[in-house]
Amino acid sequence: MPRYNPAQIEPKWQAYWEERQTFRTPDLPTSKKLYVLDMFPYPSGDGLHVGHPEGYTATDIVSRYARMRGRCVLHPMGFDAFGLPAEEHAIRTNTPPRESTEKNIENFTRQLKMLGFSYDWNRVLATTDVEYFKWTQWIFLVLFDTWFDREQQKGRPIAELPIPEEIAAEGEAAVRRYQDRHRLAYQADALVNWCPALGTVLANEEVIDGKSERGGHDVVRIPLRQWMLRITAYADRLEKDLELLDWPEGVKKLQRDWIGRSTGAEVDFFLGDADAFEAWKSRRAETGFPEEPGEDVLRVYTTRPDTLFGATYMVIAPEHPFVPRLTTSEQKEAVESYCRKAASKSDRERTEGSKQKTGVFTGAYAVNPVSGQPIPIWIADYVLISYGTGAIMAVPAHDTRDFEFAQQFDLPIVAVVDPGESADVDREAVLAGQACFVGEGTAIHSGPYDGLPTREFKERITADLSDKGLARPAVHYKLRDWLFSRQRFWGEPFPILHELDDEGRPTGLLRPVPESDLPVDLPPLEDYKPHGRPEPPLEKAPESWLYVTLDGKRYRRETNTMPQWAGSCWYYLRFIDPRNDQRFVDAEKEKAWMPVDLYVGGAEHAVLHLLYARFWHKVLYDRGYVSTPEPFQKLVNQGMILGEMEYTTYQTGEGVYVSAADVEKSPEGQWQRRSDQVAVTPQRIEPDQVEKRGDRFVLKDHPEIEVESRAYKMSKSRGNVVNPDAIVRDYGADALRLYEMFMGPLEATKPWSMAGVHGVRNFLDRVWRLVIDEGAETMRLHPSFSEEPATDEQRRVLHKTIEAVTRDTEGMRFNTAIARMMEFVNYFTRQERRPREALEPFVLLLAPYAPHLAEELWQQLGHDESLSYEKWPEADPRWTRDETVEVPVQVLGKVRARVSVPADADPAALEEAARNEPRIARLLEGKQVVKVITVPGRLVNFVVR
RNA sequence: GCGAGAGUGGCGGAACUGGCAGACGCGCUGGAUUUAGGAUCCAGUGGCCGGAAGGCCGUGGGGGUUCGAAUCCCCCCUCUCGCACCA
């Protein structure tokens, strides 16, 4: 009984591909290249999730299709294997994280191979491979060796950094410190997010609402010496070059917003007596606007220099260095208490009561440079130390935040922009200082600038104040420098040495580990437990690792490690030349394969991973190590796969049903009845207890009770996780692949459905029976199989299928491509004669989607080579066009009949045929035909009166 | 609050450039076959009225443009995902 048995044929073909190295890619492309890349997975202990094979199947189809079209395809896979879970496991079990990591990689590899992806497994790599992170460290040293030349907008070797004379005069140590301050990789005392529970510092991006993204633990802010990467230097190019990319607009916009470029002006406000103001001004007129603000001014950044005349007070961040100096003795206590509170508050708490602004007066005043008026300086946490200059001029009439603050503390509000008459602005209230207007308008109360429109005003005043040395045009970014060190064990060690003096104390001077000494491997540790202090676990490393002597000098190794992002910043380059021990990638191979033509992965990496990788790539580009300005030409985000659809009812403690529409979440996160806040419990019910009434679902037994119906994200806690191993066991890998592609568009979020898996498995069974005689004792072709030529009708079906499947595969519309193949099978299953001429091309069309089944059928059809490099079938236009078409005939836009006409019938013939159709003739009788619309091959429409 | 995306049968989803709404799959109904099957094959399946022929309604809601709108424009509603005082 030769039934379709994926459990048998799938391992068979996987072994075949592996033994014959079917998907081994040459070092250099032998025909037009195509680089198809998946976002490589983190090998967690849970194994593959059904979300992984979604993107992986899509790229596999593209790769297999491209090979059959004669392209030379690079399609690799690897593992992003550094990271917290492995380290936490190490701490729990006191085993080296490498052990569990390697076990997980093995499991992932098994699962990936079981799905039949056509990766070149010779190129597999893990970011934790010592031979891999050797080059991650090497790239770090490139960053360390690079400074950013603003004039050329380009990263250059640190040796080319011009040294100011006064620095050079101070000697070599001063020069080295000066260079260190300009490197793309530099150290800084940063206010960091220290997470005591995880025992590490987290990047801003890893802190969500004041809690750690992983685990949801509390995070506090403490200052600590950190490695930073100067990604802000590249902000402009990272933004501009998005234009070059074939990426979803949404992702580009996310990146643009993240970079957050804004233009405006930096303005200095004089700190001192109003009498000294004029003297200061004339000094400034001579010296111009200084690079660094002195102690006698408060420098602010504003995007609305046109509202300077309306600046009635100033605000500085609680962390601003001027706080102690500006605070008067009367205000000292209040200020100190306020700043203490602000420091202890997480970002979450700061933003929580965002309606309620808090702040405290310093007691000091600054002089408004345009009006000469003294205005008070306040401290408030709505001003962030990390953006702009950490200080603002407050214009309450034209900035919502300033307006709220001014109302809270009764500060003057002076309107300086007349919004004009408009339906949605209360002009009177704005002019009276009772409402806030943030739009553009016409200047008022602005001295010589009165009457200017906002835009012109901005330019004029910026230029005027620049001439007087009071301001300068400025560009700022929301993007911050990248906090690049972690206080963890399981990451790449920094290849950096700290120089020690004779007493063994650090001198503050740095030295990169010589390239010949790379890699710096991780030392073995006695235990992996965090010691609860913010210092890294590598502090516990053996002295033999920790201390190094080079050229007679003693050094201590850097003990921070790199964040997980590091390894994924350049893996796409290493895949091109994974075993090279001389270079991170061979230049010729890099040039031949880059850029990545198609990159598919989850939308969760839309900003960080992609931005970081682009940044590294640009540095490598500037330094001449790679040939393209951007790494990933085309990007596609696969949508999330949700769990199976769930129906939920809510009941009170007494068992009374509550309609889903009447249920809300309490502030504490509990479900409750909206009307009286009585607690209710959600309960999942079976679909057969539910029916549809109108546009909602209700309980069959209680139709007045509305049921909630939706699909949830898969999670262990909800228990709706689908395991790919189980699907492959029960339905086969081809069924899993096909189902994930058939669910809907690749980019869409879609719910899982076991019934749907069953459906595609059914299709694969039908494909099998189309070719194979299932009823026979031994394996043989179906009795309907024929060597005779196909009929004209069969050819039309075949060639239309080829045309549609080709078009849809090209456009990555895999769901509709599969639908077309199903139609083919439905048609040919009904055929008494199934000619080879039709079956063979069909098997080739199916091959990228269900490669195991296709290979098996191909073999049964008498071929002894894999079909992986067979020529993709071509649609013959003679058979894709019908000779006659059925065209709908409308009267007043409603379809009333259909007529069969030659496909190339001209409008007159079409109209003629339509008028002759008996039903239409009857409808037109006695009516006046005002107009006839004919679209050849599509329709006829009579407009009658 | 701001931004992006999406609302089409019982369900997942199709529909080229404005031109037959519901391809394909699931489910359901009926039939054939079978010792039996949750297997296979065939047919039907948006709603309402009707015996039928046929008619009317129908792509979240309301308006508009057009001979013709799921598709274009305006207003509103709902859901999902981002962002969260960035001066």
Side-chain angles (χ1 to χ4, degrees):
Chain A
M1 285 303 192
R3 288 215 169 170
Y4 170 50
N5 183 6
Q8 193 233 318
I9 65 173
E10 288 176 355
K12 168 183 160 184
W13 287 100
Q14 286 155 20
Y16 177 100
W17 297 325
E18 186 145 357
E19 274 160 31
R20 318 227 172 177
Q21 300 270 298
T22 306
F23 304 113
R24 177 160 207 155
T25 311
D27 284 353
L28 288 170
T30 47
S31 59
K32 198 174 172 210
K33 71 98 181 178
L34 187 75
Y35 188 174
V36 181
L37 184 67
D38 292 301
M39 288 186 190
F40 65 166
Y42 174 76
S44 76
D46 300 329
L48 223 52
H49 177 273
V50 287
H52 290 117
E54 188 189 16
Y56 299 164
T57 303
T59 53
D60 197 56
I61 292 168
V62 170
S63 300
R64 287 176 179 271
Y65 167 74
R67 283 189 203 101
M68 295 173 82
R69 296 296 298 253
R71 301 286 292 269
C72 193
V73 178
L74 177 58
H75 186 42
M77 180 45 88
F79 302 97
D80 187 15
F82 276 124
L84 276 178
E87 183 155 353
E88 274 154 13
H89 183 263
I91 293 166
R92 268 198 315 278
T93 60
N94 204 33
T95 51
R98 186 170 288 282
E99 280 181 20
S100 64
T101 300
E102 281 172 3
K103 217 176 76 214
N104 292 346
I105 287 176
E106 206 178 305
N107 188 40
F108 263 68
T109 305
R110 174 191 63 79
Q111 290 186 303
L112 290 167
K113 288 189 174 175
M114 142 190 116
L115 292 169
F117 298 131
S118 60
Y119 297 121
D120 178 357
W121 283 105
N122 297 298
R123 293 171 187 262
V124 70
L125 58 83
T127 53
T128 48
D129 294 343
V130 181
E131 279 312 300
Y132 179 83
F133 72 64
K134 167 182 175 177
W135 298 105
T136 309
Q137 291 171 336
W138 178 85
I139 295 173
F140 176 83
L141 290 181
V142 172
L143 289 154
F144 184 74
D145 185 61
T146 304
W147 65 286
F148 191 79
D149 183 338
R150 297 216 163 265
E151 306 225 316
Q152 294 184 20
Q153 278 292 300
K154 189 181 167 194
R156 297 173 57 193
I158 198 73
E160 296 174 10
L161 175 69
I163 308 292
E165 262 173 55
E166 63 272 22
I167 302 280
E170 284 176 48
E172 198 221 320
V175 170
R176 282 172 64 186
R177 280 179 227 277
Y178 181 82
Q179 288 177 324
D180 286 350
R181 281 205 301 279
H182 288 81
R183 297 174 189 276
L184 292 185
Y186 65 99
Q187 297 185 97
D189 265 315
L191 255 192
V192 298
N193 306 299
W194 162 245
C195 178
L198 293 175
T200 189
V201 163
L202 302 170
N204 288 332
E205 302 83 84
E206 293 164 329
V207 181
I208 311 286
D209 295 337
K211 304 272 181 192
S212 64
E213 186 189 17
R214 183 178 287 279
H217 306 291
D218 281 324
V219 172
V220 295
R221 294 163 72 78
I222 58 167
L224 205 65
R225 180 187 64 85
Q226 295 291 326
W227 282 95
M228 308 289 290
L229 296 186
R230 209 178 297 281
I231 189 172
T232 50
Y234 282 82
D236 233 17
R237 276 168 61 193
L238 287 169
E239 187 191 46
K240 278 210 191 84
D241 286 355
L242 285 170
E243 273 176 41
L244 310 173
L245 302 175
D246 183 11
W247 285 18
E249 273 315 308
V251 176
K252 289 193 190 181
K253 190 168 185 311
L254 277 175
Q255 294 222 344
R256 275 195 200 102
D257 290 352
W258 192 264
I259 294 165
R261 186 178 201 270
S262 79
T263 56
E266 286 176 3
V267 185
D268 282 349
F269 282 61
F270 180 59
L271 293 171
D273 294 341
D275 341 333
F277 174 62
E278 287 302 327
W280 172 78
K281 248 171 72 173
S282 37
R283 262 201 318 280
R284 271 298 177 87
E286 280 167 35
T287 62
F289 193 80
E291 188 64 28
E292 297 290 327
E295 300 238 308
D296 57 347
V297 296
L298 189 55
R299 182 167 288 181
V300 302
Y301 171 64
T302 177
T303 55
R304 291 294 299 270
D306 63 294
T307 60
L308 251 165
F309 287 87
T312 53
Y313 65 101
M314 304 187 78
V315 186
I316 60 178
E319 300 86 358
H320 197 282
F322 284 14
V323 166
R325 213 155 50 73
L326 290 177
T327 305
T328 58
S329 45
E330 300 88 74
Q331 292 297 85
K332 192 161 185 263
E333 211 170 301
V335 166
E336 282 178 357
S337 128
Y338 183 80
C339 292
R340 237 191 341 267
K341 246 186 272 167
S344 70
K345 272 201 253 177
S346 65
D347 278 358
R348 165 69 169 183
E349 287 163 325
R350 278 199 190 188
T351 52
E352 210 155 53
S354 59
K355 280 159 236 135
Q356 197 72 12
K357 293 265 183 295
T358 61
V360 63
F361 179 42
T362 58
Y365 291 81
V367 183
N368 184 325
V370 291
S371 67
Q373 292 300 309
I375 54 175
I377 304 172
W378 285 66
I379 298 170
D381 63 8
Y382 81 91
V383 171
L384 309 176
I385 188 62
S386 48
Y387 184 77
T389 60
I392 62 156
M393 65 174 206
V395 186
H398 305 293
D399 181 284
T400 326
R401 298 151 302 184
D402 297 344
F403 183 78
E404 284 165 7
F405 190 82
Q407 287 200 312
Q408 179 83 19
F409 293 100
D410 215 13
L411 290 157
I413 301 170
V414 178
V416 292
V417 181
D418 182 346
E421 291 298 347
S422 158
D424 39 45
V425 181
D426 184 350
R427 183 183 180 192
E428 292 312 310
V430 171
L431 297 182
Q434 280 149 8
C436 180
F437 171 70
V438 299
E440 301 194 342
T442 312
I444 51 170
H445 302 131
S446 297
Y449 299 97
D450 279 354
L452 282 181
T454 299
R455 245 172 264 190
E456 204 176 315
F457 189 171
K458 274 190 194 177
E459 274 174 40
R460 285 264 287 276
I461 194 164
T462 307
D464 291 353
L465 291 179
S466 293
D467 289 346
K468 293 180 186 158
L470 301 175
R472 69 173 169 200
V475 175
H476 281 270
Y477 301 91
K478 289 206 297 195
L479 184 70
R480 308 288 151 78
D481 274 344
W482 177 10
L483 181 94
F484 193 67
S485 43
R486 296 291 182 276
Q487 288 62 50
R488 304 298 310 194
F489 172 78
W490 195 225
E492 300 88 345
F494 281 79
I496 291 288
L497 303 171
H498 296 269
E499 189 179 290
L500 300 176
D501 63 16
D502 296 339
E503 272 85 59
R505 276 194 293 264
T507 63
L509 292 172
L510 300 171
R511 175 169 180 171
V513 171
E515 202 180 316
S516 54
D517 289 355
L518 294 180
V520 179
D521 200 355
L522 286 161
L525 292 193
E526 302 234 323
D527 71 84
Y528 298 88
K529 286 191 194 68
H531 38 52
R533 285 166 284 130
E535 294 105 54
L538 283 181
E539 297 276 329
K540 299 201 287 190
E543 299 235 324
S544 58
W545 184 87
L546 215 43
Y547 294 94
V548 182
T549 304
L550 271 181
D551 308 326
K553 264 213 176 87
R554 274 194 95 215
Y555 297 90
R556 191 171 194 272
R557 285 195 195 278
E558 170 66 49
T559 53
N560 281 290
T561 52
M562 299 187 202
Q564 200 184 344
W565 307 108
S568 58
C569 271
W570 74 284
Y571 72 113
Y572 58 93
L573 291 169
R574 189 65 180 170
F575 278 139
I576 291 170
D577 194 12
R579 306 288 170 249
N580 192 332
D581 57 4
Q582 300 299 310
R583 239 182 104 104
F584 76 114
V585 59
D586 176 76
E588 190 193 353
K589 294 179 191 168
E590 186 277 330
K591 222 175 156 187
W593 286 109
M594 282 298 286
V596 173
D597 297 286
L598 174 66
Y599 193 26
V600 176
E604 66 274 19
H605 294 117
V607 180
L608 299 179
H609 159 60
L610 290 169
L611 198 64
Y612 292 156
R614 293 179 60 220
F615 164 51
W616 278 35
H617 194 86
K618 286 190 181 306
V619 177
L620 292 171
Y621 177 72
D622 285 354
R623 295 297 305 269
Y625 293 113
V626 297
S627 60
T628 65
E630 286 285 335
F632 313 119
Q633 190 51 43
K634 177 174 171 149
L635 175 77
V636 173
N637 288 132
Q638 88 255 20
M640 207 195 319
I641 296 183
L642 304 174
E644 194 92 32
M645 189 74 92
E646 293 180 30
Y647 297 95
T648 311
T649 57
Y650 295 89
Q651 276 175 291
T652 63
E654 289 89 56
V656 178
Y657 282 114
V658 180
S659 264
D662 301 330
V663 171
E664 61 176 13
K665 224 173 199 168
S666 73
E668 295 80 42
Q670 301 299 309
W671 295 108
Q672 60 184 26
R673 181 155 60 195
R674 197 187 311 279
S675 54
D676 54 7
Q677 279 84 49
V678 167
V680 294
T681 322
Q683 192 184 1
R684 189 173 170 186
I685 54 169
E686 292 305 311
D688 57 13
Q689 293 175 262
V690 171
E691 67 181 353
K692 188 135 187 188
R693 283 278 172 96
D695 56 357
R696 54 195 56 173
F697 286 91
V698 298
L699 273 178
K700 267 187 190 160
D701 300 340
H702 302 270
E704 73 286 358
I705 299 300
E706 196 183 326
V707 176
E708 191 176 78
S709 125
R710 57 170 291 197
Y712 299 85
K713 219 166 155 162
M714 287 190 192
S715 69
K716 264 197 232 166
S717 57
R718 190 167 270 281
N720 59 351
V721 176
V722 178
N723 178 355
D725 280 316
I727 304 298
V728 171
R729 188 191 62 223
D730 297 343
Y731 298 94
D734 282 337
L736 174 61
R737 292 169 57 113
L738 211 62
Y739 172 64
E740 295 215 6
M741 295 301 98
F742 189 59
M743 290 173 88
L746 182 61
E747 297 89 339
T749 303
K750 39 210 177 276
W752 185 266
S753 151
M754 266 322 167
V757 183
H758 197 83
V760 294
R761 167 59 196 264
N762 199 23
F763 163 68
L764 294 174
D765 276 310
R766 282 165 66 81
V767 171
W768 179 264
R769 287 192 297 268
L770 186 67
V771 182
I772 303 295
D773 184 3
E774 203 179 55
E777 288 301 319
T778 56
M779 187 75 111
R780 66 168 204 217
L781 295 178
H782 195 274
S784 305
F785 177 81
S786 159
E787 298 286 358
E788 302 290 310
T791 66
D792 286 2
E793 192 187 67
Q794 288 177 336
R795 283 187 180 159
R796 265 193 283 277
V797 171
L798 170 69
H799 286 274
K800 281 183 190 172
T801 303
I802 295 173
E803 188 184 45
V805 172
T806 305
R807 190 182 352 98
D808 288 348
T809 304
E810 263 330 310
M812 296 180 77
R813 290 180 297 271
F814 307 120
N815 52 332
T816 48
I818 293 167
R820 299 312 295 261
M821 291 193 268
M822 288 174 167
E823 287 180 279
F824 177 96
V825 171
N826 289 344
Y827 172 82
F828 273 93
T829 294
R830 285 191 302 265
Q831 297 292 302
E832 296 288 332
R833 263 167 196 248
R834 303 173 192 165
R836 177 184 293 277
E837 182 190 331
L839 295 189
E840 285 202 341
F842 171 75
V843 168
L844 294 176
L845 294 184
L846 181 69
Y849 292 81
H852 310 90
L853 173 59
E855 289 273 24
E856 183 67 23
L857 294 177
W858 190 246
Q859 190 178 56
Q860 294 304 324
L861 284 164
H863 301 272
D864 45 18
E865 286 277 319
S866 162
L867 49 59
S868 300
Y869 296 91
E870 282 296 323
K871 203 171 163 315
W872 184 258
E874 252 182 81
D876 184 340
R878 272 165 57 220
W879 300 108
T880 54
R881 240 156 280 179
D882 287 318
E883 282 154 23
T884 62
V885 287
E886 200 172 66
V887 169
V889 183
Q890 302 181 332
V891 177
L892 285 171
K894 280 189 205 287
V895 180
R896 296 299 180 178
R898 286 165 232 279
V899 290
S900 270
V901 293
D904 55 358
D906 62 19
L910 251 181
E911 184 181 336
E912 173 74 14
R915 280 183 188 276
N916 288 338
E917 208 284 329
R919 225 173 101 69
I920 298 298
R922 209 173 336 123
L923 281 163
L924 295 184
E925 213 174 318
K927 297 267 169 51
Q928 187 196 348
V929 176
V930 184
K931 196 173 172 189
V932 184
I933 293 108
T934 53
V935 184
R938 300 220 63 111
L939 62 45
V940 184
N941 185 13
F942 292 98
V943 184
V944 298
R945 207 181 291 155

